[in-house]
């Protein structure tokens, strides 16, 4: 494997990491939005449940039916949002793990590239040293003749 191949693999790995990072950010935003919606729904339910008590004895059958339906719908929506948020959180956690693995892969390619370049530099230095020694030996032989 040469440096170009490692560089290309590193570039591909970085592109994959960038895509995973974008996906993770998007999922994180969705989880945050769902959390905010869940809080708002809970506040709405608490507010509406609190207003029932202020009516006291003046509440009639239609108001009670509407109140029960609204409470039921809000409870269903809250349950649904909690379920969706749990799914999105799990997906977000999985994406975070994939992103971490991708970061590690990029770092491994960087290390391989550094080692490969160091090896090439070492080999080049040895080659230059050998050429210099041959040049010195050649001059030394010419003087003896």
């Amino acid at each position: 494997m040469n440096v170009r191949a490692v560089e290309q693999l590193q570039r591909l790995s970085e592109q994959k990491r960038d895509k995973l990072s974008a996906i993770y950010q998007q999922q994180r935003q969705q989880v945050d939005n769902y959390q905010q919606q869940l809080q708002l729904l809970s506040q709405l339910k608490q507010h509406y449940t609190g207003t029932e008590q202020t009516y006291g004895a003046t509440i009639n059958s239609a108001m009670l039916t509407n109140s029960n339906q609204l409470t039921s719908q809000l409870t269903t929506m809250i349950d649904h949002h909690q379920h969706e948020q749990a799914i999105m959180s799990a997906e977000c956690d999985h994406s975070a793990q994939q992103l971490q693995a991708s970061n590690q892969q990029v770092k491994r390619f960087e290390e391989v590239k550094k080692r490969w370049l160091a090896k090439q530099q070492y080999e080049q230095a040895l080659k230059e040293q050998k050429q210099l020694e041959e040049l010195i030996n050649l001059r030394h032989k010419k003087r003896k003749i």
Side-chain angles (χ1 to χ4, degrees), residues 81-127:
H81 269 67
Q82 287 174 336
H83 179 72
E84 287 294 318
Q85 185 187 17
I87 290 171
M88 287 183 178
S89 283
E91 289 174 349
C92 191
D93 291 343
H94 180 69
S95 291
Q97 290 172 351
Q98 286 181 324
L99 181 59
Q100 184 179 12
S102 183
N103 279 331
Q104 290 173 350
Q105 186 179 25
V106 168
K107 287 179 184 179
R108 284 192 302 268
F109 280 125
E110 287 173 357
E111 289 298 316
V112 168
K113 182 180 166 185
K114 283 180 187 178
R115 285 193 309 247
W116 191 265
L117 287 173
K119 181 182 175 186
Q120 281 185 336
Q121 288 173 349
Y122 175 75
E123 289 173 353
Q124 182 65 28
L126 281 179
K127 184 179 175 182

Side-chain angles (χ1 to χ4, degrees), residues 2-102:
N2 61 25
V3 176
R4 286 186 198 148
V6 172
E7 286 175 344
Q8 188 173 8
L9 288 171
Q10 182 182 358
R11 240 185 334 271
L12 292 172
S13 183
E14 288 171 349
Q15 289 172 354
K16 179 182 176 185
R17 179 194 60 192
D18 293 344
K19 287 178 185 177
L20 287 173
S21 178
I23 290 169
Y24 173 73
Q25 292 299 328
Q26 181 183 14
Q27 288 176 337
R28 186 81 249 151
Q29 176 113 20
Q30 287 177 338
V31 168
D32 292 344
N33 287 343
Y34 257 82
Q35 179 62 34
Q36 188 177 27
Q37 290 175 5
L38 189 59
Q39 288 174 349
L40 292 173
L41 285 171
S42 295
Q43 288 174 359
L44 181 62
K45 183 179 177 185
Q46 286 176 351
H47 175 72
Y48 191 75
T49 304
T51 57
E52 287 177 358
Q53 296 169 357
T54 60
Y55 289 128
T58 61
I59 196 165
N60 63 26
S61 172
M63 289 175 74
L64 187 57
T65 302
N66 287 343
S67 174
N68 286 339
Q69 286 179 349
L70 182 60
T71 303
S72 175
Q73 288 175 349
L74 285 172
T75 301
T76 302
M77 288 177 72
I78 289 170
D79 289 344
H80 175 73
H81 269 67
Q82 287 174 336
H83 179 72
E84 287 294 318
Q85 185 187 17
I87 290 171
M88 287 183 178
S89 283
E91 289 174 349
C92 191
D93 291 343
H94 180 69
S95 291
Q97 290 172 351
Q98 286 181 324
L99 181 59
Q100 184 179 12
S102 183

